[in-house]
């Protein structure tokens, strides 16, 4: 998703393979925890993200617990099945994917970039691309396809992560102008 001229060092590049506990109750909080942890350890500008699915009729669940909705070691299928059970009586569950990127600059200042894609939850999985809740999420801009039925190019044009990355990249570019 990054344009030419912008390169990043990955966690593998800096030989970092630890898990950072996500203990906040918001996506912003978890992204900041991870970004600060890395900034404090490596003393370099860094960014981290957190994202997940929020279903309106479930008061935002699974939310920050999206990856572990059915438990700490839950599979995508287990999480999807739990979500399907939770929405089975709701005719057209409204939902959104949300992504928050936290960037800590070289002075240690925090910057937050968010992306949201609105849609709904289908009552049966469709498609074999993507991961997580992709087979259940129908974005408003493609009302006949789940995220798991979209090509990577289509998804990268509209996804919550693509929107947050675009805002982050625009910010980085503005620093170079």
């Amino acid at each position: 998703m990054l344009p030419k001229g912008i390169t990043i060092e990955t966690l593998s590049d800096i030989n970092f393979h630890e898990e950072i506990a996500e203990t906040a109750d918001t996506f912003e909080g978890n992204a900041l925890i991870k970004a600060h942890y890395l900034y404090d350890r490596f003393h370099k500008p860094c960014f981290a993200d957190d994202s997940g699915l929020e279903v309106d009729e479930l008061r935002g669940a699974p939310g920050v617990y999206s990856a572990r909705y059915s438990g700490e070691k839950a599979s995508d299928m287990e999480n999807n099945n739990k979500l399907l059970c939770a929405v089975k009586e709701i005719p057209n569950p409204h939902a959104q994917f949300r992504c928050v990127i936290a960037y800590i600059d070289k002075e240690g200042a925090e910057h937050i970039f968010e992306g949201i894609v609105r849609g709904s939850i289908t009552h049966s999985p469709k498609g074999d691309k993507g991961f997580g809740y992709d087979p259940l999420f129908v974005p408003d801009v493609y009302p006949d396809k789940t995220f798991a039925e979209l090509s990577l190019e289509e998804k990268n044009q509209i996804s919550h992560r693509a929107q947050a990355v675009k805002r982050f990249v625009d910010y980085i570019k503005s620093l170079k102008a």
Side-chain angles (χ1 to χ4, degrees):
M1 287 188 207
L2 296 176
K4 292 182 189 216
I6 295 180
T7 57
I8 60 170
E9 277 185 298
T10 67
L11 295 177
S12 295
D13 292 337
I14 59 174
N15 200 30
F16 183 84
H17 304 285
E18 298 172 35
E19 288 288 324
I20 301 171
E22 297 178 353
T23 56
D25 59 1
T26 64
F27 297 122
E28 181 177 318
N30 283 331
L32 284 166
I33 286 170
K34 295 183 281 188
H36 274 293
Y37 184 91
L38 294 166
Y39 179 83
D40 293 345
R41 181 149 179 195
F42 296 101
H43 311 289
K44 294 180 178 186
C46 63
F47 71 94
D49 82 325
D50 195 28
S51 63
L53 179 70
E54 299 171 316
V55 179
D56 297 353
E57 291 83 356
L58 301 179
R59 296 183 306 280
V64 294
Y65 304 103
S66 291
R68 52 193 187 277
Y69 190 44
S70 289
E72 284 298 319
K73 304 287 183 191
S75 68
D76 289 347
M77 185 181 294
E78 290 168 318
N79 287 332
N80 284 336
N81 286 338
K82 181 174 180 176
L83 180 61
L84 287 172
C85 286
V87 301
K88 71 180 175 188
E89 302 299 324
I90 303 168
N92 185 26
H94 299 91
Q96 65 185 21
F97 271 118
R98 178 190 306 264
C99 176
V100 175
I101 294 174
Y103 173 61
I104 310 298
D105 67 23
K106 63 184 176 185
E107 286 84 30
E110 299 174 356
H111 306 272
I112 301 295
F113 308 92
E114 183 179 66
I116 293 173
V117 61
R118 294 285 304 162
S120 60
I121 302 300
T122 184
H123 287 93
S124 60
K126 297 177 190 161
D128 58 3
K129 299 178 186 89
F131 63 97
Y133 299 98
D134 287 358
L136 301 179
F137 184 77
V138 179
D140 288 345
V141 295
Y142 286 104
D144 298 324
K145 291 183 177 182
T146 67
F147 259 16
E149 295 175 299
L150 297 177
S151 70
L152 186 58
E153 293 77 25
E154 289 171 319
K155 187 176 173 185
N156 282 345
Q157 293 296 313
I158 64 163
S159 80
H160 53 304
R161 187 164 285 112
Q163 291 176 37
V165 167
K166 181 185 181 325
R167 290 181 177 104
F168 175 49
V169 167
D170 288 347
Y171 173 75
I172 297 299
K173 284 180 176 179
S174 76
L175 299 176
K176 295 180 179 190

